[in-house]
Amino acid sequence: MADKSAFDYVNEIWSIANYVRDVIRPADYNKLILPFAVLRRFECALEPTREAVSRRVAKGAWGDDDPMYCALSGHCFYNVTSFTLSNLGATKTCDALMAYINGFSANAREVLQRFEMRQTCEKLDEKGMLYEVCTRFADFDLGPDAVSDRMMTDIYEHLIQKYGEEISQDAEDFMTPKDVARLATALLFANEDTLLNADDGAIRSLYDGSCGTCGFICDALDQLDEWHEKGHFKSPTKIVPYGQELEDATWAMGKAALMLRNIAGGSDDVLDQMTDLSAGIMRGDTLDDDKFAGRTFHYQLTNPPYGKEWRKEQPGVFDEMKNGFGGRFGAGKPDIDDGSMLFMQNVAAKMAPVGEGGGKAAIVLSGSPLFNGDAGSGPSSIRRWLFSEDLVDCIVKLPTEIFFRTGIATYIWVLNNHKPDNRKGYVQLIDASEEKTPLRKTQGNKRYEVSEDQAAWIVRTYVDGHDHGKSAMVPVEDFMFRKVTTQRPLHIFIEPKGSSVDELFSLNAPMRKLTESSRDVLSAWAEKNEGKSLEYSDVVSSVEDIHKKIEKPKPSKADLVAALVKVFGRRDPSAEPAIDAKGNPVFDPELKDSENVPIGMDIDEYMASEVLPYAPDAVVDGSVVDEPKLDKKTGLTSNPLGDGEVGIVGTSISFNRYFYRYEKPREPEAIAKEILELEDGLSEFMRGFLS
C-alpha cells in the first residue's frame, strides 16, 4: 500500500482512465472511475467489520436486507457477500462484480447501480481488462480515514474539468470550491448561538436544493464538527441534511459521501452509526419535481447552476406559479434562459417559519440576480418580494476567478427571516472582491482562493455590521424606485405633398385597404394643401370631412390623423401643442421617456428638481400605474405586489453605487512620454536584431 501522506489519489485513479481509453470513451468515464472509487470507498469503510458480518451471514439467522447488519458493520450500509475487489477472479469477473454489488444493502446498491456501470464493465470484461481495473482499485486506500469527502469530490471535479461537456452539460454547473463553501457556511451560522453553543442534543435541518455531490453539505458538516470539537461539547446540536440533485452520477456521489457519516460526527453511539444521513438526499429536478413539497428547513446552503435554462421545466413551474404565493414561485417569472431566481424563490419558500425557530440560507449566485429585469419584470418583482418580506440580510461580492469552471463575478446572498432588530429593514453589502490569495497552481479557471484569515475578516464584518469603506448597511428602500413615464406635447406642422401621397397607402392594413375612390379623396386633399404648414388642429378638422367622403372599408378618424401626421409631419417647437378632437393634449411618442424616482420621494418634487428645469412642458403619464397583470394566454400574474400607484416599482442592487472609487486619469504628458520610451526601446531592439 502506498504511503497515504504522499499518495496522489487523483492521478493514480486517473491512470486507470488512461489504461482503458482504447475501450471506454471519455464520455463514459463517469460510469467507470466514479463507481469504482465509491465501491472501493465503501469496501474500505466496511473492512474492519467485514468478518463480523460474514459470521452472522453464515449463521443464516437474518435475511439479506435485515437492518440489524448495520449494528455489526458500524455504518448505515453493509455487504453480505465474501467478495472484495481483490478476489473477484480473473474469469467471469463482471458476473462476480455484479454479485458483489447486489450483496450490498439496498441504499448502497441503489447508489452503485445509478452509475449505470454494467455495460461499461461488460466491455472491459470482453477485452480482459476488468480484472486489472478491479485489482488496481483494490490497491487504493479510499477509506474515510484516509481520504476525506472533499478529496473524493476532487476526483469528480477532475473528471468534470477534463470531460464535463462530454459527460453532461449540466455537470459542470459549477462545483463549489472548499474555500467558498467554508465561507458560506461561516456566514450561515454566524450569530447562530443556539446552534453553536447548545449542548442538549437538539436537532436542526440543513437543505441544499441543488446539492450536486453534497460537497457543500459535507464541508458544512465538517466545519460544524470542528467548531463543536473546540467547544468540547458532550451532546452538540445535530444537523440532519436534506438535498435534491438531478444528475444521476452526481446524486450517487453525494449519497455515498453522506452514507459514510453518522449523525453525530465522531460519536460511538450505535444508533447514530446506523442512521443513514443520506436518506434525505433525493433524485429529481427541484424546479418541477420538488421532493420536499410543504417542507421547511432551519438552514440552507446552495450553489444553483448559473444561467440554467428552464424551458424543460416550464410546464411544471407554470402550474405552480398559478398558485401565486401558495406555491414556491408566486413572486415572479424570470427569463427562460436563467433559472437562478427560481432557485432563490425555492430557498425562500423552504425557510422554517419564525414560530419554528426561523430559517436562514446562504446562496452562491452570479451577478445577474442583483439587477436583471426592468421595473415590473419577473426578476425585479422577485427582488421586490424579498425586500417586502425583509429576507435579504447580507450580500457578499466575491473575487473573480475562484471557481473551477468560470471566472465571472459571484456573490453570496444571506437570507434570514428572523433578523435581529438592529438589522431589520437593512441589507448589508460587503465588497470582498479583493479578499483573495493566489494559488500556487491554477485549477481550471480557479486562480485564487479566499484564505482563512480573509474569510474571518468577511465574517467579522458581517457579524459586527460594520459600515466602512468595504461594507455598507443599506435601507431596502435604497434598492427600490418607481419607473414613472413622462410625456411631452407634440409640436408639429403638417405639410402635405402630392409626391408623397402614395406613402399613405402602405402604412398599415386599414390604409392599404382603401378603395381607389377613397385614395383619390386623400390625393385631392394633399394637392389642395400643398405648400401650406397646417397645425395639428387643422388636420383634425380636415379628417372630419375626409372621413365622410371616403368609402368603406375606411380607417378610423384617429388612424387617418396618425397617417397624415406620420407622412407629412415636420416637428417644430414653434408649432402649437397638438390637441385631439376632444381637446386632450397629444403627446410626442419620440419624446416619451421614463424617470426612476426613489421610493419614498414625492413624484412632483422629483419632477420639479430633476426634469422640469430641462423640459418645462414634461408631464407625468398617470395612466402608467403599478398593478398586477394577468396574462390570459398563460394564466400567470405578473407584478403581483402592484399597489395601484402611479409609476411601476422596480428594484436593482448596485455595488458600484456604494463602493466605486474614482481614480484620476493619468496625465496625458506622462502617457505620451511612456509611449515614446517604448518606441525608442523597440527601435533599438529591432536594430540589434537585424544587425
Side-chain angles (χ1 to χ4, degrees):
M1 183 70 64
D3 175 22
K4 295 177 186 178
S5 63
F7 194 69
D8 188 342
Y9 289 98
V10 170
N11 285 333
E12 288 293 332
I13 289 174
W14 278 93
S15 70
I16 299 175
N18 291 328
Y19 171 67
V20 302
R21 63 184 178 184
D22 292 333
V23 179
I24 306 300
R25 299 178 304 131
D28 290 328
Y29 282 172
N30 62 327
K31 299 175 184 177
L32 176 74
I33 301 299
L34 299 183
F36 271 96
V38 171
L39 177 56
R40 177 57 181 161
R41 190 163 172 80
F42 282 167
E43 185 173 281
C44 291
L46 295 177
E47 180 61 29
T49 58
R50 192 160 67 90
E51 288 298 324
V53 173
S54 295
R55 287 193 297 269
R56 177 62 67 175
V57 171
K59 292 180 179 181
W62 300 337
D64 288 352
D65 289 326
D66 195 318
M68 287 302 296
Y69 281 116
C70 292
L72 296 176
S73 74
H75 292 280
C76 66
F77 63 98
Y78 54 88
N79 188 284
V80 296
T81 74
S82 59
F83 287 120
T84 67
L85 284 173
S86 61
N87 68 7
L88 294 174
T91 60
K92 296 186 178 181
T93 309
C94 188
D95 291 341
L97 177 63
M98 293 302 115
Y100 180 27
I101 290 173
N102 289 331
F104 276 95
S105 54
N107 52 358
R109 189 165 63 242
E110 183 188 16
V111 166
L112 293 167
Q113 290 173 344
R114 190 55 56 183
F115 286 108
E116 300 179 357
M117 61 189 292
R118 181 171 194 132
Q119 186 176 2
T120 303
C121 291
E122 287 175 347
K123 287 182 182 179
L124 291 172
D125 209 16
E126 289 174 6
K127 301 292 184 181
M129 302 172 72
L130 181 59
Y131 179 70
E132 176 69 15
V133 169
C134 292
T135 54
R136 286 199 188 189
F137 268 100
D139 193 44
F140 300 151
D141 183 358
L142 297 181
D145 293 334
V147 181
S148 67
D149 295 321
R150 171 53 66 170
M151 290 175 70
M152 284 299 293
T153 300
D154 287 344
I155 297 169
Y156 188 54
E157 289 172 350
H158 188 82
L159 174 75
I160 298 306
Q161 287 172 26
K162 292 189 69 172
Y163 304 107
E165 293 180 1
E166 294 178 77
I167 294 170
S168 168
Q169 291 181 349
D170 293 329
E172 57 187 274
D173 297 331
F174 283 102
M175 306 193 75
T176 312
K178 183 175 182 179
D179 55 320
V180 177
R182 289 181 68 88
L183 172 58
T185 301
L187 289 167
L188 177 69
F189 295 125
N191 291 328
E192 295 294 296
D193 294 337
T194 301
L195 173 84
L196 298 179
N197 299 323
D199 201 15
D200 56 2
I203 296 177
R204 293 291 182 269
S205 54
L206 172 66
Y207 167 73
D208 183 348
S210 50
C211 63
T213 61
C214 291
F216 223 150
I217 290 175
C218 289
D219 282 336
L221 295 178
D222 286 342
Q223 200 163 348
L224 285 167
D225 286 345
E226 291 172 18
W227 290 336
H228 286 146
E229 286 172 8
K230 290 178 182 177
H232 303 291
F233 295 109
K234 294 181 179 179
S235 186
T237 302
K238 300 175 182 179
I239 293 291
V240 180
Y242 298 85
Q244 188 163 340
E245 171 56 33
L246 174 62
E247 291 289 322
D248 282 358
T250 315
W251 169 85
M253 286 283 290
K255 185 95 170 170
L258 289 174
M259 286 175 63
L260 291 164
R261 308 180 71 103
N262 66 66
I263 195 170
S267 169
D268 293 326
D269 187 276
V270 174
L271 183 60
D272 282 347
Q273 291 174 351
M274 293 173 60
T275 300
D276 185 358
L277 273 190
S278 76
I281 306 303
M282 303 298 180
R283 236 178 355 97
D285 193 318
T286 296
L287 297 184
D288 68 348
D289 185 21
D290 181 15
K291 300 298 186 182
F292 300 97
R295 291 285 304 274
T296 59
F297 305 93
H298 299 104
Y299 301 102
Q300 296 180 64
L301 281 166
T302 189
N303 178 16
Y306 307 154
K308 173 183 168 58
E309 182 183 283
W310 53 282
R311 196 176 306 278
K312 177 174 67 70
E313 297 90 343
Q314 181 174 285
V317 171
F318 275 16
D319 284 344
E320 189 160 356
M321 283 182 177
K322 291 173 184 176
N323 296 327
F325 290 109
R328 293 175 294 160
F329 307 124
K333 175 174 69 69
D335 294 337
I336 196 70
D337 59 355
D338 185 1
S340 58
M341 296 194 81
L342 290 177
F343 284 101
M344 183 180 286
Q345 289 184 84
N346 178 68
V347 167
K350 294 198 174 298
M351 297 174 75
V354 175
E356 298 176 12
K360 193 174 179 185
I363 319 166
V364 182
L365 295 166
S366 65
S368 62
L370 293 170
F371 51 76
N372 62 339
D374 198 3
S377 68
S380 179
S381 296
I382 294 167
R383 286 189 295 269
R384 179 180 183 180
W385 174 69
L386 292 171
F387 294 148
S388 70
E389 297 294 314
D390 199 16
L391 295 181
V392 185
D393 190 2
C394 179
I395 304 175
V396 179
K397 183 179 182 180
L398 299 175
T400 56
E401 299 179 294
I402 60 171
F403 277 75
F404 301 111
R405 296 288 293 179
T406 179
I408 64 173
T410 49
Y411 300 77
I412 298 176
W413 290 57
V414 179
L415 303 187
N416 189 353
N417 65 4
H418 57 291
K419 293 183 184 180
D421 289 342
N422 64 326
R423 297 181 76 98
K424 288 181 178 178
Y426 287 85
V427 176
Q428 184 177 10
L429 303 182
I430 300 176
D431 181 7
S433 57
E434 298 302 319
E435 301 302 315
K436 58 186 180 181
T437 301
L439 293 174
R440 292 182 179 178
K441 183 180 179 182
T442 299
Q443 302 173 24
N445 284 61
K446 185 175 176 65
R447 298 177 58 204
Y448 301 95
E449 66 177 357
V450 180
S451 70
E452 290 188 9
D453 288 343
Q454 290 164 331
W457 175 86
I458 296 169
V459 175
R460 280 198 309 273
T461 299
Y462 167 59
V463 170
D464 296 340
H466 283 309
D467 199 337
H468 52 56
K470 292 191 175 181
S471 173
M473 297 295 295
V474 184
V476 294
E477 292 83 6
D478 272 23
F479 305 126
M480 304 173 70
F481 59 89
R482 285 191 182 274
K483 186 177 181 180
V484 174
T485 299
T486 60
Q487 303 276 16
R488 296 176 64 184
L490 176 63
H491 295 269
I492 196 167
F493 287 117
I494 293 83
E495 298 173 340
K497 294 179 182 178
S499 59
S500 302
V501 75
D502 286 344
E503 294 180 30
L504 290 170
F505 311 133
S506 61
L507 284 178
N508 50 46
M511 297 301 292
R512 287 194 295 271
K513 292 178 180 179
L514 287 170
T515 65
E516 284 298 322
S517 175
S518 297
R519 295 185 181 199
D520 289 342
V521 172
L522 285 165
S523 297
W525 177 85
E527 291 174 3
K528 176 183 175 182
N529 290 285
E530 186 161 2
K532 297 180 181 179
S533 291
L534 304 177
E535 294 282 359
Y536 190 92
S537 57
D538 297 329
V539 174
V540 171
S541 299
S542 296
V543 164
E544 291 287 336
D545 182 56
I546 292 171
H547 198 260
K548 294 175 183 178
K549 293 180 179 180
I550 60 178
E551 302 172 336
K552 293 182 180 180
K554 59 171 103 178
S556 67
K557 294 177 184 177
D559 284 341
L560 278 172
V561 172
L564 295 173
V565 169
K566 184 171 182 63
V567 173
F568 302 128
R570 177 178 62 81
R571 283 171 172 77
D572 190 323
S574 66
E576 290 294 319
I579 56 174
D580 63 19
K582 296 180 180 180
N584 298 317
V586 176
F587 297 117
D588 189 339
E590 294 186 5
L591 298 180
K592 182 179 179 179
D593 205 351
S594 62
E595 297 289 333
N596 292 340
V597 181
I599 286 289
M601 184 174 186
D602 183 80
I603 294 175
D604 290 337
E605 289 182 8
Y606 180 91
M607 291 290 291
S609 62
E610 303 296 331
V611 178
L612 297 182
Y614 314 102
D617 55 356
V619 296
V620 173
D621 188 342
S623 68
V624 180
V625 297
D626 185 52
E627 58 185 1
K629 293 183 179 179
L630 177 65
D631 185 329
K632 294 181 179 179
K633 184 177 180 180
T634 63
L636 303 179
T637 298
S638 61
N639 196 28
L641 297 181
D643 57 17
E645 300 292 329
V646 173
I648 300 172
V649 172
T651 60
S652 180
I653 301 173
S654 171
F655 267 71
N656 284 343
R657 177 180 175 186
Y658 300 95
F659 303 115
Y660 174 74
R661 295 291 181 268
Y662 173 77
E663 292 186 8
K664 184 179 179 181
R666 297 170 61 196
E667 295 294 333
E669 294 81 2
I671 297 173
K673 181 180 179 182
E674 191 173 297
I675 292 172
L676 291 173
E677 289 174 351
L678 288 171
E679 288 179 345
D680 290 342
L682 180 60
S683 298
E684 186 174 337
F685 170 77
M686 291 301 295
R687 283 195 298 271
F689 177 75
L690 296 173
S691 61

